[in-house]
Amino acid sequence: CLSKVLEFADTHYESRDQVIFWPDLATCHYAKVNQAWMKEQDLYFIAKEDNPPATPQIRPIEQFWSMLKAKVYENNWSAKNRDQLIRKIQKCAKEFDMEPIISLII
């Protein structure tokens, strides 16, 4: 996913100096190999020790994930396998009006 962060930064900003990657606390984001890669790419990121847990109010994208999760699992829906879950997530994501979502992030 980190290459997507770079693609987004390079598409929407004049310089990577204007971008700060604020990852969630997923272990993969803070793996040594990923941190080294981000540094090599001149991608500034929030260090794990500076990244407080359980603060969705300062990570607006978490509101989107919460709304998407509610939509996916409404009416007690459950997936029978991984592919079914992926299809359901994609379907529900397409149903969102993305303008309010984008305004949360930008």
Short mmCIF file of all heavy atoms in Angstrom, two decimals, residues 5 8 15 17 31 38 50 64 70 85 89 99:
data_model
loop_
_atom_site.label_atom_id
_atom_site.label_comp_id
_atom_site.label_asym_id
_atom_site.label_seq_id
_atom_site.Cartn_x
_atom_site.Cartn_y
_atom_site.Cartn_z
N VAL A 5 0.61 5.37 -1.57
CA VAL A 5 0.79 6.64 -0.86
C VAL A 5 1.68 7.56 -1.70
O VAL A 5 1.38 8.74 -1.90
CB VAL A 5 1.39 6.43 0.54
CG1 VAL A 5 1.74 7.76 1.19
CG2 VAL A 5 0.44 5.64 1.42
N PHE A 8 -0.20 8.78 -4.78
CA PHE A 8 -1.12 9.85 -4.40
C PHE A 8 -0.36 11.16 -4.18
O PHE A 8 -0.75 12.22 -4.69
CB PHE A 8 -1.89 9.48 -3.14
CG PHE A 8 -2.85 10.53 -2.69
CD1 PHE A 8 -4.12 10.59 -3.24
CD2 PHE A 8 -2.48 11.47 -1.75
CE1 PHE A 8 -5.02 11.58 -2.84
CE2 PHE A 8 -3.36 12.46 -1.34
CZ PHE A 8 -4.63 12.52 -1.89
N SER A 15 5.44 18.56 -4.23
CA SER A 15 6.63 17.99 -3.60
C SER A 15 6.21 17.04 -2.48
O SER A 15 5.21 17.27 -1.81
CB SER A 15 7.48 19.12 -3.03
OG SER A 15 8.47 18.62 -2.17
N ASP A 17 7.61 16.94 0.20
CA ASP A 17 7.78 17.71 1.43
C ASP A 17 6.45 18.21 1.97
O ASP A 17 6.34 18.57 3.13
CB ASP A 17 8.69 18.92 1.20
CG ASP A 17 10.12 18.52 0.91
OD1 ASP A 17 10.49 17.35 1.17
OD2 ASP A 17 10.88 19.36 0.40
N ALA A 31 7.16 -1.82 10.25
CA ALA A 31 8.24 -2.80 10.05
C ALA A 31 9.50 -2.04 9.63
O ALA A 31 9.43 -1.04 8.90
CB ALA A 31 7.83 -3.81 8.98
N MET A 38 10.33 4.10 3.30
CA MET A 38 9.72 5.44 3.33
C MET A 38 10.80 6.52 3.42
O MET A 38 10.70 7.55 2.76
CB MET A 38 8.72 5.55 4.47
CG MET A 38 7.44 4.76 4.22
SD MET A 38 6.14 5.01 5.47
CE MET A 38 6.76 4.02 6.83
N ASP A 50 5.03 8.56 18.33
CA ASP A 50 4.28 9.83 18.27
C ASP A 50 2.86 9.64 17.74
O ASP A 50 2.14 10.61 17.51
CB ASP A 50 5.01 10.82 17.35
CG ASP A 50 6.36 11.21 17.89
OD1 ASP A 50 6.53 11.22 19.13
OD2 ASP A 50 7.27 11.48 17.08
N PHE A 64 -14.55 7.16 7.91
CA PHE A 64 -14.94 6.44 6.69
C PHE A 64 -14.93 4.94 6.93
O PHE A 64 -15.88 4.24 6.58
CB PHE A 64 -14.02 6.79 5.52
CG PHE A 64 -14.22 5.89 4.34
CD1 PHE A 64 -15.36 5.99 3.57
CD2 PHE A 64 -13.28 4.92 4.01
CE1 PHE A 64 -15.56 5.15 2.48
CE2 PHE A 64 -13.47 4.07 2.94
CZ PHE A 64 -14.61 4.19 2.16
N ALA A 70 -20.00 -0.44 8.98
CA ALA A 70 -21.42 -0.51 9.34
C ALA A 70 -22.27 -0.90 8.14
O ALA A 70 -23.20 -1.71 8.26
CB ALA A 70 -21.88 0.83 9.92
N LEU A 85 -16.35 -11.33 0.99
CA LEU A 85 -16.16 -10.11 1.78
C LEU A 85 -15.61 -8.98 0.92
O LEU A 85 -16.08 -7.85 0.98
CB LEU A 85 -15.23 -10.38 2.97
CG LEU A 85 -14.88 -9.16 3.84
CD1 LEU A 85 -16.13 -8.54 4.45
CD2 LEU A 85 -13.90 -9.56 4.93
N ILE A 89 -17.43 -5.39 0.27
CA ILE A 89 -16.77 -4.12 0.59
C ILE A 89 -16.73 -3.22 -0.64
O ILE A 89 -17.05 -2.03 -0.57
CB ILE A 89 -15.35 -4.36 1.14
CG1 ILE A 89 -15.43 -5.00 2.53
CG2 ILE A 89 -14.55 -3.06 1.19
CD1 ILE A 89 -14.10 -5.51 3.06
N GLU A 99 -17.83 12.73 -1.86
CA GLU A 99 -17.50 14.14 -1.58
C GLU A 99 -17.38 14.42 -0.07
O GLU A 99 -16.39 15.00 0.36
CB GLU A 99 -18.51 15.08 -2.24
CG GLU A 99 -18.32 15.21 -3.73
CD GLU A 99 -16.93 15.73 -4.12
OE1 GLU A 99 -16.44 16.68 -3.48
OE2 GLU A 99 -16.36 15.16 -5.06
#
